[in-house]
Amino acid sequence: MARQFSVKRLPGFSTIAMICFIGLYMPIVTLVVYAFNAGTSIAVWEGFSLRWFYSAWNNTQVVDASIRSLQIAFCAAIVATVVATMAAIATTRTAQYRGLTFKYAFINLPLLVPEIVTAVALLIFFSQIKVYTGYSGLGYLIAAHAAFCIPFAYLPIRARLESMDLTLERAAADLYATPFQAFRYVTLPLLWPGILAGMILGFVISLDDVVITEFVKSGGQDTLPTYMLGQLRRVVTPEMNAISTVFLLLSFAIVTIFFFLSRNEKTS
Amino acid sequence: MQNIVKDFGHFRAVNDVTLKIASNEFFTLLGPSGCGKTTLLRMIAGFEMPTKGSILLDGAGIASLPPNQRPINTVFQNYALFPHMTVADNIGFGLKMLGRPKAEIEKTVADMIRLVRLDGREKNLVTQLSGGQQQRVALARALAPQPKVLLLDEPLSALDLKLRKSMQIELKRLQMETGITFVFVTHDQEEALTMSDRIAVMSEGQVRQIGSPWEIYDRPAERFVADFIGETNFLTAEVVSVSGDRARVRLASGAEIPASFPANTTPSGKVTVVVRPEHARAAPVSGASVLRGTIHDIVYLGTDTHLHVVLEDGTPFMVRQQNARSGPCGYDKGETLGIELSDDVAQILRD
Ligand SMILES: Nc1ncnc2c1ncn2[C@@H]1O[C@H](COP(=O)(O)OP(=O)(O)O)[C@@H](O)[C@H]1O
Ligand SMILES: [Mg+2]
């Protein structure tokens, strides 16, 4: 009997896979390990300590930047999700027409535009608005982040809408639901996992943006990533590692929560 | 429904259909897959607009109303139950959308649960139910708002044979008890014959014949209907005379027999006559034989035996005999025998 083909039996497969995994995760592991270094070096181990976590916690600049990052990510994710949900419904719940494919492309185009181009464009655009309105708050950063989060939020929502059984909405209409009621009682509850996925994706993407933030931010509007970038130009202490580790845990936590939420959805 | 036409691009899915369905009727659309049954149903429900023609309900045109404004409910082929709701919420959905008071909804839902025999399942999510139970939730959900018309699109096709049989009886019972007009779609002729008050046989977007089950079966108007429903024998014959609603035709064997013909036609010249296999009897050749042939094959089916006979002029002819006694049928292959027909069983087809 012929043995079933398994890529595992190809010579060198395991070795290459191991190298890839080490290449991917070794730096992260190192980073996390040195967050607990008692010394001031990020390369020489001097014993275990939590001092850099305390130090980051007491660094008001770090705390301010973190809060700002979370504020921006939270607002941007919500704005992006609302817009993306509307866009996804508009592009899936319609008869095929000329130009629909073009619209898909149009919505996803920001994924392809080099970030630096978007950043410069936004910088110029916003600076003009600033001149006219005199407003220079976080609104610009939120708007910018929302803009580049939309395609990320759009993709899972659209995927969910496309996999949804259209006859459910028909059944609702058949049972006297107005289009709005059908959306409210049938489409939306079934769309939740997609919306949540879109929102979390948007949140995470916004949280670690550097390029656009660096260009758009006004003075004193550092987010955590731009603050860290600024620090790297000076001395690098394991405080950076500690911040990054917390950041990493936060991302893990979000993804895990989402995973369990969506799993419950499936089993119930 | 008057002169309904539906085009998808250049494709004509429904072609000039005119139907009049009485209230309280169990009306079936029967036809092979792809003949336009679902499309017709979707136009009644309001999911498609007819390209031409009008749909009237109690005399009022409804063809341009959206589905949520038509007092018509549908049992979907895949049930389309709301997976995030309980059985009770599914059944009460229509009434909730109609803005009925809570107490009324609860009472109707309880009645419906009893009607479709799902007692004790109210709080289950519909995804926890078996196929047959889901089917009944779908029925209850569509019946709860007491629509004027209930549309059913092959609702039994996903069930296994035994469940299907019991659901057929159940559906008929529900229709009698509620007095709601049912428009039922199926490609299963047996299902159609068992349940319907009247059947419309469709093919290629057109209605071929409308009639009661026995009319459709015993008095098919054309070859498609005769062929699609049950098994049948086609014989060529020549019309000798016509009087009233009966004609006399001469078969190839020379025998003359009476035959019915479709209304609004006057048969003449060469025609095709159909005879159902169970309306013929095999017997030794005698004066009563209207046809003669040799046995080509004998198929034993338990309840029946099928004798496949080749007539003198080469036409195949099948006789179905009920196995009233035990043991083999008593004929052999190659044997010559005569065929006798019961009274008034031949039907002339429209060309
Ligand atoms: N939305 C549609 N677009 C194009 N063609 C369709 C559409 N719906 C149905 N048809 C075509 O119309 C014909 C009749 O379909 P349908 O009414 O579903 O048949 P049935 O229910 O009798 O099997 C089929 O040939 C089908 O391919
Ligand atoms: Mg169909």
Side-chain angles (χ1 to χ4, degrees):
Chain A
M1 206 175 83
R3 285 197 302 177
Q4 205 183 348
F5 173 77
S6 164
V7 73
K8 275 190 198 160
R9 270 187 227 101
L10 289 183
F13 172 79
S14 311
T15 322
I16 294 175
M18 279 319 286
I19 292 174
C20 289
F21 276 120
I22 291 172
L24 275 173
Y25 287 108
M26 222 25 217
I28 297 179
V29 172
T30 319
L31 174 131
V32 172
V33 168
Y34 277 93
F36 296 97
N37 196 359
T40 52
S41 164
I42 55 165
V44 184
W45 182 253
E46 291 175 33
F48 180 86
S49 135
L50 291 176
R51 64 179 275 211
W52 297 112
F53 287 91
Y54 289 123
S55 134
W57 182 250
N58 292 321
N59 184 337
T60 48
Q61 275 180 302
V62 171
V63 174
D64 285 351
S66 303
I67 291 173
R68 202 170 293 118
S69 272
L70 292 175
Q71 279 173 338
I72 294 170
F74 187 75
C75 297
I78 286 181
V79 173
T81 309
V82 170
V83 175
T85 305
M86 293 194 291
I89 290 169
T91 49
T92 51
R93 293 297 182 267
T94 170
Q96 277 286 330
Y97 59 90
R98 278 172 62 95
L100 190 58
T101 325
F102 175 73
K103 268 191 195 162
Y104 288 147
F106 195 70
I107 290 168
N108 290 320
L109 201 60
L111 294 175
L112 301 178
V113 175
E115 224 186 327
I116 190 75
V117 175
T118 316
V120 173
L122 286 175
L123 171 71
I124 297 168
F125 184 61
F126 284 153
S127 65
Q128 283 168 356
I129 297 183
K130 269 182 210 173
V131 170
Y132 280 115
T133 60
Y135 170 72
S136 62
L138 277 186
Y140 298 109
L141 277 174
I142 292 171
H145 280 224
F148 69 76
C149 286
I150 287 171
F152 289 99
Y154 172 77
L155 290 175
I157 298 173
R158 180 182 142 201
R160 181 86 188 177
L161 273 171
E162 278 183 340
S163 68
M164 233 164 84
D165 186 0
L166 268 179
T167 50
L168 291 178
E169 285 157 50
R170 282 211 195 97
D174 190 61
L175 292 161
Y176 314 106
T178 61
F180 175 76
Q181 285 174 317
F183 177 74
R184 159 83 182 70
Y185 292 109
V186 176
T187 316
L188 197 59
L190 295 172
L191 194 56
W192 260 123
I195 293 180
L196 213 59
M199 192 140 79
I200 284 169
L201 211 54
F203 188 82
V204 172
I205 299 272
S206 158
L207 214 53
D208 81 350
D209 176 74
V210 175
V211 179
I212 290 177
T213 314
E214 189 67 37
F215 276 72
V216 172
K217 71 174 186 184
S218 314
Q221 287 188 343
D222 262 323
T223 61
L224 200 55
T226 61
Y227 168 77
M228 286 165 76
L229 189 68
Q231 287 302 298
L232 288 180
R233 299 204 188 101
R234 300 178 215 155
V235 282
V236 182
T237 62
E239 191 179 286
M240 287 296 114
N241 298 43
I243 298 169
S244 305
T245 304
V246 173
F247 220 41
L248 188 67
L249 282 179
L250 186 69
S251 304
F252 272 163
I254 292 173
V255 172
T256 312
I257 289 169
F258 171 68
F259 176 76
F260 279 105
L261 279 179
S262 59
R263 209 180 54 159
N264 278 347
E265 183 77 16
K266 264 173 221 144
T267 50
S268 67
Chain B
M1 252 182 291
Q2 290 168 349
N3 307 106
I4 294 291
V5 174
K6 177 70 192 180
D7 292 338
F8 293 115
H10 294 294
F11 179 75
R12 184 151 285 194
V14 172
N15 189 359
D16 199 14
V17 168
T18 300
L19 288 175
K20 206 172 156 70
I21 300 172
S23 59
N24 301 351
E25 192 172 25
F26 198 120
F27 191 90
T28 298
L29 297 169
L30 172 65
S33 149
C35 72
K37 308 179 296 288
T38 298
T39 308
L40 197 56
L41 213 60
R42 286 159 55 90
M43 287 190 283
I44 305 176
F47 304 129
E48 302 277 1
M49 293 275 241
T51 311
K52 266 191 238 139
S54 55
I55 302 175
L56 303 177
L57 181 68
D58 293 339
I62 57 166
S64 57
L65 288 182
N68 57 313
Q69 289 173 22
R70 300 186 188 199
I72 296 173
N73 290 151
T74 308
V75 175
F76 292 85
Q77 187 162 5
N78 63 355
Y79 313 148
L81 298 176
F82 305 126
H84 56 296
M85 293 184 198
T86 62
V87 169
D89 287 344
N90 263 281
I91 297 176
F93 188 84
L95 292 168
K96 186 173 162 192
M97 294 303 114
L98 286 170
R100 297 287 166 76
K102 231 179 155 136
E104 186 195 324
I105 298 179
E106 272 167 23
K107 185 179 171 304
T108 312
V109 169
D111 289 346
M112 282 298 145
I113 297 259
R114 222 169 309 119
L115 189 67
V116 297
R117 306 191 174 133
L118 280 170
D119 310 69
R121 294 285 184 177
E122 296 87 338
K123 295 279 166 280
N124 287 59
L125 281 176
V126 288
T127 44
Q128 296 162 335
L129 302 182
S130 70
Q133 290 170 331
Q134 291 187 357
Q135 167 72 78
R136 279 180 287 171
V137 176
L139 262 170
R141 185 180 70 174
L143 285 171
Q146 295 197 300
K148 293 222 171 95
V149 183
L150 186 74
L151 308 175
L152 304 102
D153 192 356
E154 312 212 13
L156 308 181
S157 59
L159 305 179
D160 61 48
L161 186 66
K162 216 167 156 192
L163 203 52
R164 194 151 71 217
K165 294 275 177 217
S166 72
M167 279 308 294
Q168 287 177 4
I169 298 167
E170 190 95 335
L171 271 177
K172 189 73 194 166
R173 174 182 73 89
L174 284 173
Q175 194 260 334
M176 305 270 232
E177 282 182 22
T178 57
I180 292 172
T181 308
F182 277 34
V183 181
F184 184 89
V185 162
T186 182
H187 63 263
D188 181 338
Q189 37 124 349
E190 194 189 314
E191 205 166 273
L193 294 173
T194 336
M195 299 197 286
S196 319
D197 293 325
R198 281 195 311 150
I199 299 172
V201 182
M202 290 183 66
S203 135
E204 294 173 354
Q206 286 180 312
V207 171
R208 299 294 174 162
Q209 189 176 357
I210 303 176
S212 64
W214 84 263
E215 282 172 328
I216 297 287
Y217 187 78
D218 282 344
R219 299 275 182 263
E222 51 184 272
R223 182 175 279 267
F224 174 82
V225 177
D227 217 12
F228 185 69
I229 297 172
E231 284 167 303
T232 204
N233 294 304
F234 296 96
L235 300 169
T236 51
E238 192 151 353
V239 177
V240 182
S241 64
V242 178
S243 74
D245 59 353
R246 289 287 182 281
R248 285 197 74 76
V249 295
R250 187 183 304 115
L251 301 176
S253 63
E256 277 186 24
I257 56 166
S260 336
F261 50 86
N264 308 326
T265 60
T266 315
S268 64
K270 277 209 171 306
V271 291
T272 304
V273 167
V274 289
V275 176
R276 294 290 179 187
E278 64 273 23
H279 293 154
R281 276 183 314 279
V285 177
S286 73
S289 313
V290 290
L291 298 163
R292 252 175 310 169
T294 47
I295 299 183
H296 182 66
D297 206 357
I298 301 172
V299 180
Y300 177 76
L301 293 165
T303 54
D304 297 323
T305 301
H306 290 180
L307 301 173
H308 293 270
V309 177
V310 179
L311 301 180
E312 287 164 321
D313 64 346
T315 319
F317 192 96
M318 188 174 88
V319 178
R320 176 183 295 155
Q321 304 203 116
Q322 211 177 9
N323 294 329
R325 289 173 290 107
S326 62
C329 68
Y331 296 106
D332 286 318
K333 271 190 205 178
E335 208 172 312
T336 301
L337 48 69
I339 291 170
E340 299 169 11
L341 299 182
S342 308
D343 294 336
D344 201 21
V345 294
Q347 163 81 5
I348 300 172
L349 297 181
R350 190 162 58 206
D351 302 312

